Amino acid sequence: MTPTTDEASVPLAHDHGGGVHSLRVPIPDNPLGHTLVHLLDTDRGPVLVDTGWDDPTAWEALTAGLAACGTSPAEIHGVVVTHHHPDHHGLSGRVREASGAWIAMHAADAGVVRRTRDAEPGLWLDYLAGKLQRAGAPEAHIAPLCAARAAGSTGGLPGLRPALPDRDIVPGELLDLAGRLLRAVWTPGHTPGHVCLHLEETHPAGRPGNGRLFSGDHLLPGITPHIGLYEDPDDATVTDPLGDYLDSLERVGRLAPAEVLPAHQHAFTGAAGRVRELLAHHEQRLTGLLALLAEPLTPWQVAERMEWNRPWEQIPYGSRNIAVSEAESHLRRLVKLGRAEPAAGGEPTRYVAV
């Protein structure tokens, strides 16, 4: 999705009241434009919810945003990471180096971080190439990954050396933030350890509802988060990310927050209504996929036929990989529901409606 606002004309920091600010940290070469990093005042010092992409321009923006809020990276007390993706966790290590801050993350995503750090970088290229081959991707699409592997290059893959967290975020528990009531809500789907953070305090503007929700990528006002297979070469567990996401959506809807503070786009109200829209969107998408599966199709063929925000021919190389992963998560959900099954035959796997 292309941003509709001029990034340069929007202030780096916004005061949401009650000791909460949002900072716009750019994501290089990404149509989302920026990550909304949130700053939460506590009695022991400022705490960040996410940090942004590990990039010099992003670091400058984070530093400038903190300065606009009257603080600096050196004063950060802690970092709470909603999930391990590089546009959220990328600068966590640099913030810790500047301040000695702790980093907290859900154990499931912390496990991904540890395995990513321990893996030989070429393993990711092998994993992606094998995954795409099993999904039925054409050889021409897989060839650049094989060439990068042969050349000993990581192909520019981000986040291969993410910072190790110091603390686990425990679902259902209040985080140890002096003077604040911030409860962790486990919301797997976008990643296995994604968390939303429920600020259980009266809204500063007196809006009706139950506090405020830092929603990360789980609940966004105008776009749907990517729900693909959990990308982890060392984990062969057969998971159901879309099922996880749909269950998590309903859990968040029941919280009924007065306001949602997401990591992209803008703050919004009406969380329960947005949850209903997303549930309906995915049910409609699953129904559409069933119609496609009147004949056996590979995940790649399914992705080619699915409706995206642009024609398949215009989707860039990396985004096609993401699209195929999203198609696979929907296919896996249909299989789990008993509405589709793998067709007989070898690789690539084809799926057909039951």
Side-chain angles (χ1 to χ4, degrees), residues 198-199 203 207-214 219 251-261 268-272:
H198 190 200
L199 190 60
H203 192 282
R207 288 178 176 166
N210 300 319
R212 289 181 280 182
L213 186 75
F214 299 102
L219 192 61
R251 189 180 312 129
V252 163
R254 289 192 294 270
L255 291 175
E259 187 175 26
V260 180
L261 303 174
F268 64 102
T269 58

Side-chain angles (χ1 to χ4, degrees), residues 140-268:
H141 185 86
I142 301 171
L145 294 171
C146 297
R149 180 68 166 105
S153 167
T154 62
L157 294 171
L160 291 180
R161 294 293 295 171
L164 284 169
D166 308 289
R167 301 181 180 184
D168 283 344
I169 295 175
V170 180
E173 291 191 1
L174 288 171
L175 277 71
D176 182 19
L177 302 182
R180 307 308 300 246
L181 296 174
L182 189 67
R183 192 176 303 276
V185 183
W186 184 35
T187 51
H190 186 57
T191 71
H194 190 290
V195 292
C196 292
L197 301 152
H198 190 200
L199 190 60
E200 298 177 343
E201 301 170 9
T202 302
H203 192 282
R207 288 178 176 166
N210 300 319
R212 289 181 280 182
L213 186 75
F214 299 102
S215 66
D217 280 1
H218 182 69
L219 192 61
L220 304 170
I223 55 177
T224 57
H226 167 63
I227 309 297
L229 300 186
Y230 297 140
E231 305 289 7
D232 189 348
D234 291 332
D235 188 354
T237 306
V238 178
T239 57
D240 179 18
L242 181 56
D244 292 344
Y245 179 66
L246 299 176
D247 289 344
S248 300
L249 272 179
E250 294 185 342
R251 189 180 312 129
V252 163
R254 289 192 294 270
L255 291 175
E259 187 175 26
V260 180
L261 303 174
H264 301 290
Q265 297 192 298
H266 54 81
F268 64 102

Side-chain angles (χ1 to χ4, degrees), residues 116 118-126 149 152-154 157 160-161:
T116 300
D118 292 343
E120 190 266 322
L123 175 66
W124 276 94
L125 294 171
D126 291 340
R149 180 68 166 105
S153 167
T154 62
L157 294 171
L160 291 180
R161 294 293 295 171

Side-chain angles (χ1 to χ4, degrees), residues 1-345:
M1 177 176 177
T2 303
T4 56
T5 57
D6 180 358
E7 297 285 328
S9 68
V10 181
L12 287 173
H14 177 76
D15 185 355
H16 293 275
V20 176
H21 299 77
S22 60
L23 317 176
R24 299 168 65 87
V25 178
I27 311 171
D29 302 318
N30 189 296
L32 279 174
H34 62 273
T35 301
L36 289 173
V37 171
H38 290 95
L39 180 70
L40 181 65
D41 294 336
T42 81
D43 291 347
R44 295 195 187 106
V47 168
L48 290 175
V49 177
D50 293 333
T51 57
W53 193 279
D54 186 5
D55 175 81
T57 302
W59 177 254
E60 290 175 7
L62 178 64
T63 301
L66 291 172
C69 298
T71 187
S72 71
E75 297 177 75
I76 298 301
H77 172 61
V79 175
V80 183
V81 183
T82 61
H83 61 293
H84 70 80
H85 286 165
D87 58 322
H88 296 258
H89 181 43
L91 285 171
S92 300
R94 190 160 180 182
V95 170
R96 182 168 58 189
E97 289 173 5
S99 62
W102 47 262
I103 301 172
M105 182 184 291
H106 187 281
D109 272 21
V112 176
V113 167
R114 291 187 182 93
R115 290 190 292 274
T116 300
R117 288 175 58 91
D118 292 343
E120 190 266 322
L123 175 66
W124 276 94
L125 294 171
D126 291 340
Y127 165 75
L128 290 172
K131 177 175 175 288
L132 287 165
Q133 188 172 39
R134 291 188 296 275
E139 289 300 321
H141 185 86
I142 301 171
L145 294 171
C146 297
R149 180 68 166 105
S153 167
T154 62
L157 294 171
L160 291 180
R161 294 293 295 171
L164 284 169
D166 308 289
R167 301 181 180 184
D168 283 344
I169 295 175
V170 180
E173 291 191 1
L174 288 171
L175 277 71
D176 182 19
L177 302 182
R180 307 308 300 246
L181 296 174
L182 189 67
R183 192 176 303 276
V185 183
W186 184 35
T187 51
H190 186 57
T191 71
H194 190 290
V195 292
C196 292
L197 301 152
H198 190 200
L199 190 60
E200 298 177 343
E201 301 170 9
T202 302
H203 192 282
R207 288 178 176 166
N210 300 319
R212 289 181 280 182
L213 186 75
F214 299 102
S215 66
D217 280 1
H218 182 69
L219 192 61
L220 304 170
I223 55 177
T224 57
H226 167 63
I227 309 297
L229 300 186
Y230 297 140
E231 305 289 7
D232 189 348
D234 291 332
D235 188 354
T237 306
V238 178
T239 57
D240 179 18
L242 181 56
D244 292 344
Y245 179 66
L246 299 176
D247 289 344
S248 300
L249 272 179
E250 294 185 342
R251 189 180 312 129
V252 163
R254 289 192 294 270
L255 291 175
E259 187 175 26
V260 180
L261 303 174
H264 301 290
Q265 297 192 298
H266 54 81
F268 64 102
T269 58
R274 182 60 180 147
V275 164
R276 288 193 295 272
E277 290 175 358
L278 289 167
L279 290 171
H281 164 79
H282 284 288
E283 182 55 37
Q284 182 179 25
R285 195 160 230 207
L286 289 170
T287 301
L289 257 63
L290 273 179
L292 293 176
L293 295 179
E295 59 174 316
L297 295 175
T298 67
W300 181 275
Q301 291 169 330
V302 169
E304 286 181 313
R305 291 160 172 78
M306 287 174 69
E307 184 176 340
W308 305 102
N309 62 357
R310 69 190 87 176
W312 182 257
E313 295 74 20
Q314 297 176 20
I315 296 178
Y317 179 90
S319 297
R320 289 189 180 192
N321 296 340
I322 293 172
V324 172
S325 183
E326 187 150 330
E328 288 183 293
S329 75
H330 282 72
L331 288 168
R332 190 170 289 184
R333 183 64 183 157
L334 287 173
V335 170
K336 186 168 183 178
L337 292 171
R339 298 161 73 181
E341 63 183 8

